[in-house]
Amino acid sequence: MTAIRRCDTPLGPCLLAGDEAALTGLWFVGAKHFARTLPEDARECRLSVLDDAEAWLRAYFAGERPDPKAIPLRPKGTAFELAVWTLLREIPYGQTTTYGALAQALMQGSGKRACAQAVGGAVGRNPVSILIPCHRVLGRDGGLTGYAGGVEKKAALLRLEEIGDFSPKNESRREAKRGV
């Protein structure tokens, strides 16, 4: 059985999902792909993994650096998505990478070619936001690109981790340089 719980964060409400063994979902309410892997029979109830995830989120948003490996995760996805999400978990707090770099790392790890767009699709379908840090992936020029929870939330998460100045004013300048 999958348990769910709504959790408020400074960036808006999230939905947590999990079972007896692991957290299976963490979505910003209303995000693209919201709860897409959530079973229909999921229901609200107490579960220690949800308590732990909520405590982790409180510490994270308080500016602490809680260990993301302290929360057992079991996201549901294709083999390719799982490989991408595994790479995302290796991006350290306060650092970023690009979709192209992830594609290169996949190729080096498996010998299979992957394009940055395919990696971007898998990143966007990440069902465990923040703990699987898809917000740390930037475009090739270092600018913000899509984020299922919204680019404003992505920018706020990066600012929280003190990764550059992704204020709306600076993003507008970056877009102007790119000709967007």
Side-chain angles (χ1 to χ4, degrees), residues 96-98 137-145 158 163 165-166 171 174 178:
T96 61
T97 191
T98 64
V137 184
L138 303 175
R140 118 181 98 214
D141 66 351
L144 294 181
T145 55
L158 293 171
I163 304 173
D165 181 9
F166 290 97
E171 270 309 295
R174 259 194 275 272
R178 290 192 309 255

Side-chain angles (χ1 to χ4, degrees), residues 4 12 19 22 24 28 45 47 55 58 72 87 94 97-99 103-104 148 155 160 167-168:
I4 58 173
D19 57 31
T24 57
F28 283 106
C45 63
L47 200 60
R58 275 195 307 275
L87 286 176
T97 191
T98 64
Y99 298 98
Q104 283 287 97
L160 175 71
S167 64

Side-chain angles (χ1 to χ4, degrees), residues 26-67:
L26 191 173
W27 303 272
F28 283 106
V29 172
K32 186 175 182 183
H33 308 297
F34 174 72
R36 83 174 169 91
T37 59
L38 191 65
E40 287 186 28
D41 64 347
R43 61 186 169 100
E44 285 197 42
C45 63
R46 284 207 67 83
L47 200 60
S48 63
V49 73
L50 300 183
D51 294 338
D52 294 344
E54 190 169 2
W56 189 96
L57 285 169
R58 275 195 307 275
Y60 175 82
F61 281 109
E64 299 172 23
R65 292 185 182 192
D67 181 4

